[in-house]
Amino acid sequence: MSANSSEANCSGQIPEPLVFILTGLLSATVLIFTLLGVMCLRKYRSLVRTVRELQGRKLLLDSDPQLEAPITPLRALPAAAAAAVAAEELPLQTPLQKGSTVRSSSRKLWKGLQQDPGFMKSDLNLLQLIKAGKEGVFYQARMSRGTCKGHNMFTCKISKEGVRPKHVDVEVSIMRKLMHHKNILQLLDWNTTEEPYILILEYVSYGTLRTFLQTNRANLSADPELQSLLTIASYHIALAMQHLRSKMIVHCDLALRNIMVNRFPWEVKVAEFGLARDLTRLTSRRSSRWRSPRQRVPLRWYPPEYFKNNYYSFKGDVWAFGIVLWEMQMFGTLPYPDLETSEAVVYHICIGHKNTNPEGCRPEILHIMRDCWQEPYTLRPSFTDIIQMLEDVMENDADYVDVVNPHLMVKEDTEYHEAKCLRAASITVDDTNPI
């Protein structure tokens, strides 16, 4: 036996078990490399598809070149109005909403809003600056030639640099959904094919309600009917907000600077839907609007649950409405005027401190104001409740008002009942369940 082994070794033959082992290792190596090759091929194909999709989106979003020069007004802003346009929004340093995402229908929304614009930047003749917001600037304007859907004069919102076109399209979709309400600034046309993106809105005579109250403070303060006038304006703002609620829209930026005046107090219109959210388009009941700590929000108008739980609901708009009532009584004074830093404001709100009672404010409005600031937020009234309370106040005023001009009173009474019928005809949604 040893002689046979020695003969095999001498003849150079490999032992049979070793052949099996080498064959197995070679087969395994080939199999592994084959699997790796298949995986790399699939990864490569997936990467090619992704690149093609991204290139297609880039062609869709960025096919138009940017404008070389921004639009500038033809007339300078008066000093009084310039002071009213001062920045009022502070950066929020706390982490914001997590976890919820917008539905994939946003791509359909983008495609559905694409259109051939009926105007270009060069067609606009800007007349007067109305206000400057964080994402856009409002002007009184008109067309250089012709009209915009029959309107000779209109309000023009021009987006600031860096605003994404999809963000503007979300705003357009919300305004289109809110069309045809007396107390909401109506959208006439828009152009999102090139920067700056432009929205054309209906004309207003007196700009923002904040600027109007500050400019006319002396005359209004001497008016014995001031509280009645402010109550009527509050009522029309509440009508607009109830309409938003019926459409499942959260405004998220309700403030005196975002309310326009065409005829005080009967024609006041809620505007600026840059932060608004349509909750019917969200997969989660918590808005996905605030994702980045760099996002700027109007924290002086935001409720404590936002800072404590990153939560904003329809009752957050109710809180902001209470702040608007306070602003009106104070002729546009910045809320929490003694607090200078964002940290101080957030701390002040979270520990339960409120704005001080405005001097001369009627008790009924002060009661509504305080109800809007109740905690927890489930205790706050709905806009339907607020409208009913304001109607009761206005009916009491009508019982005791001095009729100086009977014809004017008949006209105003007709408008009041028209607005009341409009509210009754709108869709009513139960506001007891927080969003």
Side-chain angles (χ1 to χ4, degrees):
M1 185 173 180
S2 58
N4 293 335
S5 299
S6 59
E7 288 179 1
N9 292 334
C10 292
S11 62
Q13 294 180 353
I14 301 175
E16 188 172 335
L18 184 60
V19 171
F20 292 148
I21 293 174
L22 292 175
T23 303
L25 290 175
L26 181 60
S27 301
T29 303
V30 172
L31 179 62
I32 290 173
F33 276 102
T34 302
L35 292 175
L36 289 175
V38 171
M39 292 176 61
C40 291
L41 181 61
R42 289 182 178 179
K43 194 71 174 178
Y44 173 76
R45 290 178 177 176
S46 176
L47 181 62
V48 169
R49 285 196 302 268
T50 303
V51 170
R52 288 176 179 174
E53 290 178 0
L54 292 175
Q55 288 175 342
R57 293 180 186 177
K58 185 175 181 181
L59 289 175
L60 177 65
L61 295 176
D62 301 325
S63 58
D64 295 303
Q66 293 187 352
L67 301 177
E68 295 181 359
I71 299 176
T72 54
L74 297 182
R75 283 193 299 173
L77 183 67
V85 177
E88 298 170 352
E89 298 167 348
L90 299 174
L92 182 63
Q93 303 297 329
T94 56
L96 309 178
Q97 290 288 40
K98 302 177 181 178
S100 56
T101 57
V102 180
R103 287 178 179 174
S104 60
S105 61
S106 61
R107 185 180 302 175
K108 298 179 181 178
L109 169 66
W110 168 254
K111 293 181 179 179
L113 291 176
Q114 285 181 302
Q115 62 165 12
D116 294 328
F119 67 95
M120 303 299 289
K121 179 200 77 163
S122 56
D123 298 329
L124 297 177
N125 185 9
L126 304 183
L127 304 177
Q128 175 102 22
L129 178 65
I130 296 176
K131 60 162 285 193
K134 74 181 187 67
E135 294 183 345
V137 184
F138 288 77
Y139 289 95
Q140 287 183 354
R142 65 186 175 196
M143 289 293 179
S144 302
R145 292 173 293 181
T147 64
C148 177
K149 297 185 177 180
H151 293 258
N152 294 317
M153 298 282 292
F154 46 81
T155 303
C156 178
K157 179 182 177 181
I158 304 174
S159 68
K160 291 185 176 179
E161 184 179 356
V163 175
R164 295 184 303 167
K166 273 194 174 182
H167 183 82
V168 179
D169 279 332
V170 170
E171 182 177 359
V172 169
S173 70
I174 287 175
M175 297 195 71
R176 293 179 68 189
K177 188 174 182 179
L178 296 173
M179 280 293 223
H180 311 306
H181 192 282
K182 178 183 177 182
N183 301 116
I184 293 176
L185 197 65
Q186 300 297 296
L187 176 68
L188 302 178
D189 204 350
W190 67 94
N191 184 346
T192 57
T193 61
E194 59 180 1
E195 290 191 58
Y197 309 117
I198 301 172
L199 304 184
I200 292 184
L201 314 164
E202 66 177 310
Y203 175 75
V204 290
S205 302
Y206 297 105
T208 69
L209 182 54
R210 183 173 188 262
T211 300
F212 177 84
L213 292 176
Q214 290 178 334
T215 304
N216 298 279
R217 179 168 187 168
N219 294 332
L220 291 172
S221 299
D223 191 337
E225 299 297 327
L226 172 62
Q227 288 301 316
S228 296
L229 297 176
L230 295 180
T231 301
I232 293 171
S234 304
Y235 171 71
H236 286 286
I237 297 170
L239 284 177
M241 296 307 297
Q242 194 271 341
H243 182 65
L244 264 70
R245 176 63 178 89
S246 72
K247 299 294 186 179
M248 295 297 288
I249 303 294
V250 186
H251 192 281
C252 303
D253 198 9
L254 181 62
L256 207 63
R257 65 182 177 275
N258 291 331
I259 298 167
M260 301 293 183
V261 181
N262 196 41
R263 187 167 64 91
F264 184 80
W266 293 97
E267 290 185 28
V268 292
K269 301 173 183 288
V270 174
E272 186 57 280
F273 295 91
L275 290 181
R277 278 292 168 266
D278 183 353
L279 297 188
T280 63
R281 295 185 177 275
L282 299 178
T283 57
S284 169
R285 303 190 81 187
R286 288 175 178 258
S287 171
S288 62
R289 175 64 182 87
W290 307 282
R291 285 192 164 200
S292 170
R294 299 173 58 188
Q295 177 65 41
R296 294 170 64 87
V297 296
L299 56 87
R300 292 175 186 261
W301 287 261
Y302 268 40
E305 64 268 16
Y306 175 80
F307 306 111
K308 295 176 181 179
N309 303 314
N310 301 327
Y311 181 72
Y312 193 100
S313 67
F314 294 112
K315 296 304 178 82
D317 278 351
V318 172
W319 175 285
F321 180 78
I323 301 292
V324 168
L325 295 180
W326 185 90
E327 286 185 280
M328 292 172 64
Q329 296 289 331
M330 299 296 290
F331 295 95
T333 300
L334 192 68
Y336 317 107
D338 297 331
L339 304 178
E340 297 181 357
T341 65
S342 58
E343 293 80 5
V345 172
V346 171
Y347 176 77
H348 186 88
I349 294 173
C350 289
I351 63 176
H353 289 179
K354 309 293 191 298
N355 282 293
T356 57
N357 294 344
E359 185 178 352
C361 179
R362 66 193 312 170
E364 300 91 341
I365 296 299
L366 188 60
H367 176 72
I368 296 174
M369 195 185 303
R370 293 294 168 180
D371 282 351
C372 292
W373 297 337
Q374 287 198 75
E375 294 185 64
Y377 57 85
T378 53
L379 298 177
R380 297 170 201 158
S382 66
F383 280 110
T384 303
D385 299 329
I386 293 172
I387 288 170
Q388 185 59 57
M389 290 185 282
L390 291 171
E391 285 179 349
D392 293 340
V393 176
M394 289 191 297
E395 287 176 359
N396 291 334
D397 287 345
D399 292 338
Y400 297 99
V401 70
D402 293 330
V403 181
V404 179
N405 189 334
H407 297 288
L408 179 61
M409 288 300 298
V410 170
K411 184 177 180 180
E412 291 180 346
D413 186 63
T414 302
E415 291 180 342
Y416 164 70
H417 287 291
E418 177 188 348
K420 192 172 181 180
C421 292
L422 179 63
R423 179 181 66 85
S426 64
I427 301 173
T428 304
V429 180
D430 184 21
D431 200 15
T432 58
N433 295 324
I435 298 298

